[in-house]
Amino acid sequence: HCGGRPVIRLVLALLSVVALAFAAPAAADRPTEFPIFDVFPDINPCTGTDMIVTFTGTAFVHEHGSREVVRSQRTITTSDGFVGHGTDTFVANGQVFVFRQTDIMTNASGDRFRARGVFVGDASTGTVRVERFELTCLGP
């Protein structure tokens, strides 16, 4: 299971955050903060079973002329007992937008998995150039 739909949802959510940054003036030296909250189903790569993923965090939006940079930090929990943290970055320069994300999850038994993704799009055409997402069981 590649979990691509959650990445698309997250990218769209970040695009919405960037749109909000245009609506409010943002100083280049100080980020504007926005809360992040999302809940979605996925498949645990270590067990192959369904899980519900919940993450909460904060997006920090910087506007630098025509370029936007968003950095996010989050805490993640799953319905099957995994807990972890993640970070991502989103950069839009008027020509392309790039999203990269990494999350590491651990349960009480010491099992771990990683969620990692990259998404690159052409801003002028809306064409996706790269879309990769993987959930990888890292074991104990």
Side-chain angles (χ1 to χ4, degrees):
H1 184 270
C2 75
R5 283 182 286 161
V7 170
I8 301 278
R9 287 177 47 175
L10 185 55
V11 169
L12 292 175
L14 287 173
L15 287 172
S16 297
V17 167
V18 171
L20 288 173
F22 282 121
D29 60 344
R30 189 142 206 238
T32 303
E33 295 182 21
F34 295 95
I36 300 171
F37 177 79
D38 200 6
V39 178
F40 55 89
D42 214 327
I43 305 293
N44 185 310
C46 295
T47 64
T49 59
D50 292 339
M51 64 178 174
I52 300 297
V53 179
T54 303
F55 65 82
T56 59
T58 304
F60 303 91
V61 180
H62 287 271
E63 185 178 356
H64 304 281
S66 64
R67 186 176 72 164
E68 292 76 43
V69 177
V70 180
R71 179 182 57 84
S72 300
Q73 298 174 320
R74 62 189 157 275
T75 299
I76 306 139
T77 58
T78 68
S79 57
D80 58 355
F82 282 77
V83 177
H85 298 279
T87 60
D88 62 62
T89 57
F90 175 83
V91 177
N93 66 10
Q95 296 176 10
V96 297
F97 50 91
V98 178
F99 171 78
R100 295 178 193 273
Q101 157 269 308
T102 302
D103 301 314
I104 301 291
M105 309 297 296
T106 306
N107 68 8
S109 300
D111 296 322
R112 297 177 306 134
F113 71 85
R114 177 183 61 216
R116 183 169 47 185
V118 63
F119 187 90
V120 179
D122 184 313
S124 64
T125 64
T127 305
V128 175
R129 293 183 181 176
V130 177
E131 180 182 358
R132 281 184 289 209
F133 183 80
E134 64 183 12
L135 291 173
T136 305
C137 184
L138 303 173

